[in-house]
Amino acid sequence: MTGQCPGNSVSRRSVLLSVAGVIVGSAVLGVDARAAQAASTRVPRWARRWHAPIYDLDDFLHRDPHAHYQKRSVLLTIDDGPSSEWTPRYLRLLHKHHVQATFNMIGEQVRPNRHLVRAVASQGHVIANHTWTHDEALPYGTPEHVHREIQQTNEAIHDVTGHRPTQFRAPGGVWGPRVYDELARQQMMPVDWDIDPRDWAMPGVAAIESAMLKAGRGDIILCHDGGGDRSQTYQALKKVIPELLHRGLNFVTLPSR
């Protein structure tokens, strides 16, 4: 596991959305159009079949017309944990500023750090699925492999917290039809990002701060608490969180139930 993520999220988004236009069909979760229409009254719109991930809050609002956020909201996402060294520090920092975030956790690290996972949940943060092994080649695996990576992680998180994740982030931001198929079966929401400080590469505290401070209304910010030394990210967040709050931005999370 490297925790590495592509830096050009805009380019990746345009490619994925063009692919989505080709593979979108009338079927939802494998049923015909009439059954899908009936199902829409029972299943939240965000829980149905996806063909591209959410890149920002506007994406989510467009797909779920019943959702709403304060106009000046951002979403902070923290990947590749839990980490026995860094996750507790992040939790203390978030608690200090009364900020909620989304922790995208790697399944094989959940049970060995169950006390941290419970702490994340008890403080009101969202826990999302980031696969069992941080497999960046996930879309190219067999359907059975994709199912195992996602299902094992859901089970581990449920066993520790009592809650099953409803959100998923693809390692490296690499998506594909087999991933979307599995998420549809499990009624999970794919969530990407549009602010990437590339903190996994440790470019320096100033560089991470500069990238994160470009965040504005509706942005989804990516950073990491796992996968290596996260001292630079932590130091950057100590400045970024209060600065964004000072600008009047609200830290929000997507629905998790």
Side-chain angles (χ1 to χ4, degrees), residues 188-210:
M188 299 182 74
M189 182 195 323
V191 183
D192 208 272
W193 64 82
D194 64 343
I195 297 291
D196 182 2
R198 297 179 65 83
D199 60 317
W200 55 265
M202 299 192 70
V205 175
I208 297 171
E209 287 178 0
S210 177

Side-chain angles (χ1 to χ4, degrees), residues 72-126:
R72 295 180 58 78
S73 296
V74 294
L75 173 62
L76 176 64
T77 62
I78 304 171
D79 289 17
D80 292 1
S83 159
S84 59
E85 181 175 6
W86 296 106
T87 303
R89 303 187 195 191
Y90 282 45
L91 287 175
R92 289 193 291 271
L93 179 63
L94 296 171
H95 179 73
K96 175 181 177 181
H97 295 288
H98 307 287
V99 163
Q100 289 188 323
T102 298
F103 286 78
N104 298 297
M105 294 190 177
I106 296 174
E108 64 182 1
Q109 296 171 195
V110 168
R111 291 189 180 100
N113 295 286
R114 62 181 65 234
H115 65 293
L116 291 176
V117 178
R118 291 193 184 110
V120 170
S122 69
Q123 293 184 26
H125 305 292
V126 170

Side-chain angles (χ1 to χ4, degrees), residues 13-34:
R13 175 180 183 170
S14 62
V15 170
L16 286 171
L17 290 178
S18 66
V19 172
V22 176
I23 64 174
V24 170
S26 62
V28 178
L29 302 183
V31 298
D32 62 26
R34 181 178 299 177

